[in-house]
Amino acid sequence: MRNRLLGILIALMACVLAALGVPLAYLIAASEQSKVVVDRIDDAARFAQDLPTQGRPNTAAVKGDPQPGPGDTGRLYALTSEADRYHELYGARIGVFQRDGSAIAVAPAGWRPPTAGPGEQAYHEALAGRRSHNPPQVWPWTPDRTLTVALPVVRDGDVVAVVLTESPTGGLRSRVLHRWMVLAGGEALAMIVAILLAMRLTGWVLRPVRTLDRATHDIATGRLGARVAPSGGPPELRRLARSFNDMADHVVLAIDQQRAFVADASHQLRNPLAALLLRVELIGLDLPEGHEEELVAVREEGARLARVLDDLLGLATAEGSRPEPEPVDLVGLVRARVDAWRPLAGQRGVDLHWEGPPLAHAWADPIGFGSALDAVLDNALKFTPVGGAVRVGLRIGKDEVTATVTDAGPGLTEEELARVGDRFWRSSRHQNIDGSGLGLSIARTLLLAGGGGLGFAPAEPHGLTVRLAVPRRRPRR
């Protein structure tokens, strides 16, 4: 989410900078070219001013006469010399042409008006009495372009000559490119600042969301005491954090009340059940012969109901517990439970085999983990046939230590694997095996309360593997 939000902000900022930078770059190029055009028009105007008055000596100029009079010879020479110096100084071609195209003064020698392109257009516009005012834009990537400016020379309302300049654009393109680089540098700096601000803004907005996400994950995984500190972030998210804490308090209260009810009901039902079984025993003493089978069935059902009540009480106690994980030597803990179950395994004709590393430290509630391992071992021994083996192992992973219990029973199908561990769930193929269907549920609850987990997988060639995982590092609270 952070990357997507940051990407959106950066994309918007890039669009804004592009929307500002592209027109500004165009204005820079147009401004630089306009300066050159104005300079060339000024230069052309100066040459037009120095053009000798057309006419005969000692008489007034005749309108439309294309040839200068003999008295203008000195001024023509000065104009030609000025054009040569202008060309040498600025590198621009310049020429003063009469209406028929003949040159009055031109530098370099032999240069003639362009016969194609923007130069020709500017020349003909000047002959029509219009000066160049908007030549095509020169860009840094058009090195073959020249800038042509034409100015008409008007005498008595008629165009008698044209001053034409054709300037190289190397300097103009260099100045435009330099200013563009300065503009690009400024935009890059603005983009860096914008990215830093976007990162801080994103972090400020998403910090409460991350805290809320962690608290939600903790509650979903059984750590019901997780809450959100309503500090920082937008007011709406702080209000959401407070509402989340209120909701979590109500959920925890409802769950505690439900657990308390289950525990109280289980405890209160045990005494009437015990009294009922005692009365059954007393009634059985007075029953005539031939009813032993019914009496045994009633005893078995009573015992089964007592076990269910005990497991319900154990489940309620496990769900209501708030264990504090501590560093434990899991090898010693697992081996102690294996040794405790080995006599029962021997009575049932099952080999209880242990294999694992010499040392494995993890964070777990020793009592809760031991109770969960007892439930799993009890389940494995019940389903392993006589002569079979239950293998107990320990594996150290990157983030957790996993104890595995593999039995040699009939195993479970894929559909059954998806449901194993649910409360009161038992496979229809195993209804004749003693149990309430709460043992693995209690084991899972105990492990989740300590930051661990319970998993199931099929064993080869047959059987079930149960994995009891606990973290290697202190669980986050």
Side-chain angles (χ1 to χ4, degrees), residues 3-166:
N3 293 336
R4 288 195 291 271
L5 181 58
L6 195 58
I8 292 173
L9 291 176
I10 292 176
L12 290 175
M13 294 172 187
C15 291
V16 171
L17 290 177
L20 296 175
V22 172
L24 186 57
Y26 177 80
L27 290 177
I28 289 174
S31 174
E32 290 293 334
Q33 178 167 317
S34 178
K35 292 178 182 177
V36 174
V37 171
V38 170
D39 288 344
R40 296 298 177 267
I41 288 177
D42 291 343
D43 296 340
R46 182 166 57 82
F47 277 89
Q49 186 178 9
D50 292 342
L51 182 68
T53 303
Q54 296 177 19
R56 297 178 178 81
N58 301 322
T59 61
V62 178
K63 180 179 178 181
D65 190 346
Q67 295 297 330
D72 295 328
T73 303
R75 296 181 62 181
L76 282 175
Y77 177 77
L79 184 63
T80 303
S81 299
E82 185 70 17
D84 291 336
R85 288 196 298 272
Y86 183 85
H87 174 66
E88 292 175 359
L89 183 60
Y90 299 107
R93 298 174 178 177
I94 186 168
V96 182
F97 300 96
Q98 300 185 81
R99 289 187 61 86
D100 60 356
S102 59
I104 299 174
V106 64
W111 181 58
R112 291 293 179 267
T115 57
E120 182 194 19
Q121 182 181 357
Y123 180 73
H124 285 289
E125 288 179 350
L127 289 176
R130 300 190 301 272
R131 68 178 185 179
S132 301
H133 63 281
N134 188 23
Q137 182 64 49
V138 175
W139 302 105
W141 54 82
T142 54
D144 56 338
R145 280 286 311 281
T146 56
L147 191 62
T148 304
V149 173
L151 181 71
V153 181
V154 180
R155 295 289 187 270
D156 298 330
D158 289 334
V159 177
V160 298
V162 172
V163 180
L164 188 68
T165 65
E166 187 179 79

Side-chain angles (χ1 to χ4, degrees), residues 35-345:
K35 292 178 182 177
V36 174
V37 171
V38 170
D39 288 344
R40 296 298 177 267
I41 288 177
D42 291 343
D43 296 340
R46 182 166 57 82
F47 277 89
Q49 186 178 9
D50 292 342
L51 182 68
T53 303
Q54 296 177 19
R56 297 178 178 81
N58 301 322
T59 61
V62 178
K63 180 179 178 181
D65 190 346
Q67 295 297 330
D72 295 328
T73 303
R75 296 181 62 181
L76 282 175
Y77 177 77
L79 184 63
T80 303
S81 299
E82 185 70 17
D84 291 336
R85 288 196 298 272
Y86 183 85
H87 174 66
E88 292 175 359
L89 183 60
Y90 299 107
R93 298 174 178 177
I94 186 168
V96 182
F97 300 96
Q98 300 185 81
R99 289 187 61 86
D100 60 356
S102 59
I104 299 174
V106 64
W111 181 58
R112 291 293 179 267
T115 57
E120 182 194 19
Q121 182 181 357
Y123 180 73
H124 285 289
E125 288 179 350
L127 289 176
R130 300 190 301 272
R131 68 178 185 179
S132 301
H133 63 281
N134 188 23
Q137 182 64 49
V138 175
W139 302 105
W141 54 82
T142 54
D144 56 338
R145 280 286 311 281
T146 56
L147 191 62
T148 304
V149 173
L151 181 71
V153 181
V154 180
R155 295 289 187 270
D156 298 330
D158 289 334
V159 177
V160 298
V162 172
V163 180
L164 188 68
T165 65
E166 187 179 79
S167 307
T169 57
L172 171 63
R173 288 185 285 107
S174 297
R175 290 193 298 275
V176 171
L177 186 60
H178 174 72
R179 293 194 61 182
W180 280 8
M181 292 180 66
V182 173
L183 175 63
E187 290 216 336
L189 182 61
M191 193 66 190
I192 293 174
V193 174
I195 290 174
L196 294 177
L197 291 177
M199 293 177 66
R200 291 186 62 85
L201 177 63
T202 304
W204 178 70
V205 171
L206 294 183
R207 189 177 301 111
V209 177
R210 288 195 296 268
T211 306
L212 190 62
D213 179 64
R214 285 196 297 269
T216 305
H217 178 267
D218 290 344
I219 290 178
T221 54
R223 292 184 284 274
L224 300 180
R227 295 293 184 272
V228 180
S231 60
E236 292 80 3
L237 292 180
R238 293 201 297 269
R239 186 166 57 251
L240 177 62
R242 289 192 292 271
S243 300
F244 176 84
N245 290 338
D246 294 340
M247 181 195 68
D249 291 340
H250 285 90
V251 169
V252 170
L253 179 61
I255 292 176
D256 288 342
Q257 290 176 344
Q258 181 184 12
R259 290 169 180 167
F261 171 77
V262 173
D264 293 344
S266 303
H267 185 268
Q268 293 300 324
L269 285 175
R270 294 172 69 185
N271 291 335
L273 179 61
L276 180 62
L277 292 177
L278 181 59
R279 289 180 181 275
V280 168
E281 294 296 335
L282 294 176
I283 293 174
L285 295 176
D286 298 331
L287 281 178
E289 293 184 357
H291 297 277
E292 287 81 4
E293 186 175 351
E294 289 81 0
L295 183 61
V296 170
V298 172
R299 288 171 178 165
E300 290 179 350
E301 290 298 326
R304 181 172 176 272
L305 182 57
R307 284 194 299 272
V308 171
L309 292 177
D310 290 341
D311 288 344
L312 278 175
L313 184 59
L315 180 61
T317 303
E319 289 179 339
S321 63
R322 300 287 187 271
E324 188 64 30
E326 58 185 71
V328 297
D329 176 15
L330 214 60
V331 173
L333 183 58
V334 172
R335 296 195 64 170
R337 300 319 305 159
V338 170
D339 292 340
W341 282 89
R342 186 161 281 129
L344 180 60

